[in-house]
Amino acid sequence: MSVYIAHRLFAAHDRALAADLAQRVAAKVGPDRVFLPFCDTDEEDLVAEVKGRRLFELDRERLGRLDAMVALLHGPSLDDGVCMEIGYAAASGIPVIVVTTDFQTYSLTEAGPRFEFPDPILQAVATSIVRVTRLGAPALPSVPAHSRFTGFQSRNTAQTGTALDAAVDALLDLPDRAPQLVGAPAVIGAPVYVEASPYTAWGRDHLAKACVDAGHTVVVPARFTATDPIAGALADLTAVCTAARFLADVSGPEAPPGTAVLIGAAVASGVRIAAFQPRPTFTHAHGREPNWRNLMIQYAAETHLDNGDAVLSWLAA
């Protein structure tokens, strides 16, 4: 079994948590069968002509030959690179175990059904979700006195340990291979799938209108308006993977998580992707070119569009 650990990797505590998970998985399946990004791509010390692109290539190469993925997702702001990797695995028929210690649940309306994550597509594509929401038990009175901060730290450590152990158990219980959810090849005349960003004016999808005005058949997300958001999410996944093109508005503090999932699915399915972001901000890291979005999103897309004319040019190409 070859296992990919998908995790947010920009802060030391996130990398340490992922390494803890990788070590637990390696103890069961062997260290050579576990891929841990940043660690196994030697990201800090890697030297390449275009470092961000090379990192994308290394991660994608491993995504193309794995048996399972375990993804760490924290809180309401979900890492877009991890979400992209989840979408890639899901569209490739790879089982995905998602681990979270978030104690919140989410709904699209105040009284609507509740989901584990802000976008229902993550729940729809996950093979299983390991969710441990409560702190570990307090220390017994017989334990020598310690500060309340040490006690609180140990309860959090116990919580994450429980979650990681449960993830390993779920991994070992997986069938040999998950059925492929989608994957019918795009055909000539297939529609353009267009997804707006929730960080922009909701319901005013100028991108869909531009595609219609250019003579294209357009499909827009179903999951945000469907009576059953999970069924709508699976319909969105199928629509993206069978589309001729995918036009994604990735505006916001990071690419919206559901959009990132669909970008990963589109890459795995060979669908052409354009990322629309009129006001990009750039991230900078040692030895790496400035990135206008998470590098997994940036290099998954064939082009970055920043205005209406650029959209029309891409549609005509």
Side-chain angles (χ1 to χ4, degrees):
M1 175 183 286
S2 176
V3 182
Y4 189 107
I5 307 297
H7 67 101
R8 187 188 294 271
L9 48 72
F10 304 107
H13 62 276
D14 288 318
R15 297 191 296 270
L17 179 62
D20 189 353
L21 172 59
Q23 183 61 41
R24 294 173 195 237
V25 174
K28 299 294 185 180
V29 304
D32 293 340
R33 296 181 178 273
V34 180
F35 179 76
L36 181 63
F38 201 101
C39 172
D40 291 334
T41 54
D42 192 25
E43 181 162 337
E44 187 161 83
D45 298 320
L46 175 70
V47 176
E49 184 175 354
V50 186
K51 183 173 177 176
R53 178 177 287 280
R54 181 58 182 153
L55 291 167
F56 170 80
E57 291 168 348
L58 290 170
D59 287 348
R60 184 178 177 184
E61 190 275 333
R62 193 57 180 253
L63 286 168
R65 53 181 182 92
L66 68 151
D67 299 307
M69 174 180 287
V70 185
L72 295 165
L73 290 178
H74 314 295
S77 179
L78 304 179
D79 185 83
D80 45 2
V82 173
C83 291
M84 180 273 185
E85 293 165 335
I86 290 171
Y88 193 105
S92 302
I94 303 300
V96 179
I97 296 167
V98 181
V99 186
T100 182
T101 55
D102 187 359
F103 59 82
Q104 301 177 115
T105 55
Y106 303 87
S107 59
L108 300 178
T109 61
E110 186 174 358
R114 296 182 183 182
F115 304 105
E116 310 291 349
F117 304 104
D119 192 310
I121 198 166
L122 284 154
Q123 190 159 331
V125 303
T127 306
S128 64
I129 298 173
V130 173
R131 186 166 184 260
V132 178
T133 62
R134 296 185 65 83
L135 295 171
L140 297 174
S142 58
V143 174
H146 50 64
S147 80
R148 67 183 187 278
F149 307 122
T150 302
F152 183 65
Q153 180 189 33
S154 67
R155 295 184 69 189
N156 279 278
T157 301
Q159 180 182 1
T160 55
T162 298
L164 298 185
D165 283 341
V168 174
D169 290 342
L171 178 69
L172 298 177
D173 287 341
L174 285 173
D176 290 338
R177 186 79 172 194
Q180 191 158 345
L181 295 174
V182 292
V187 297
I188 297 174
V192 178
Y193 184 98
V194 181
E195 178 140 358
S197 170
Y199 300 114
T200 60
W202 192 257
R204 295 182 179 177
D205 195 351
H206 60 287
L207 296 179
K209 184 178 184 303
C211 293
V212 171
D213 290 347
H216 294 271
T217 302
V218 170
V219 176
V220 296
R223 63 192 184 278
F224 301 118
T225 56
T227 303
D228 181 350
I230 297 295
L234 292 175
D236 291 346
L237 186 66
T238 300
V240 161
C241 292
T242 55
R245 304 182 189 218
F246 178 23
L247 178 54
D249 188 339
V250 298
S251 300
E254 55 191 351
T259 306
V261 169
L262 293 175
I263 287 173
V267 174
S269 302
V271 176
R272 295 180 62 186
I273 305 164
F276 180 80
Q277 188 189 24
R279 295 182 180 85
T281 55
F282 291 85
T283 58
H284 307 269
H286 176 70
R288 197 166 78 189
E289 71 280 11
N291 293 131
W292 49 263
R293 195 79 290 180
N294 183 294
L295 65 88
M296 296 301 287
I297 303 297
Q298 176 169 325
Y299 291 115
E302 69 176 54
T303 188
H304 170 223
L305 310 175
D306 59 6
N307 59 62
D309 289 341
V311 171
L312 294 177
S313 295
W314 179 71
L315 290 170

